[in-house]
Amino acid sequence: MARCKREVSKSGYYHVMLRGNEKKNIFLDDEDRLRFLEILGEKKIDKRFGLHSYCLMDNHVHLLISEGTEKIPRVMKRIAVSFVYYFNKKYKRVGHLFQDRYKSEPVEDDSYLLLLARYIEKNPVKAGIVQRPGFYKWSSYNAYATGKGCMSEILDKEIILSMFSEDAEKARLSFKKYVNEKGEEEFIDMQESV
């Protein structure tokens, strides 16, 4: 059966999701999560893409990314191949790690971008892992809310924060308030998986 053609974003922004094959975990420990974030940082070199939000769950990953010098399919191939190589070597395994190819949807306007950022940051809360986004180490929330966080230096925070305020402190406070508001958004059919 032929694959569906991907929808191309006019804005260059995408919500991308990778899920473990058979919904199995793709992160077995914190070293795996850290290595995934390091790979994101390594693959961003030469502004290949922008990384605006992320959340690493046990069996899937959400990314809000934008095209840079490379198109998203090339970027995602680099990221996935590098992580699978690391994972298979570490756990002495062979074969696929991810279910099918990555899923993506275009992000065409600012309001949708903000809704998506909130959805990504609230993923661990929705899954019942933590009560508040700030308690979860493996998302971009703390990099936005406090200016600190795991691998915060790999994030391109300016676009999202500037939507709240030109003043950095006000922007951080407004971001925190916005993310912690009730929101029931659903994106790329992840509703069934945790």
Side-chain angles (χ1 to χ4, degrees), residues 150-162:
C150 187
M151 297 289 290
S152 64
E153 67 277 4
I154 68 172
L155 277 172
D156 301 294
K157 299 180 291 239
E158 304 78 22
I159 297 294
I160 290 176
L161 288 177
S162 70

Side-chain angles (χ1 to χ4, degrees), residues 164-175:
F164 292 102
S165 175
E166 293 303 316
D167 177 86
E169 186 58 30
K170 286 181 184 175
R172 277 197 293 277
L173 291 172
S174 295
F175 175 85

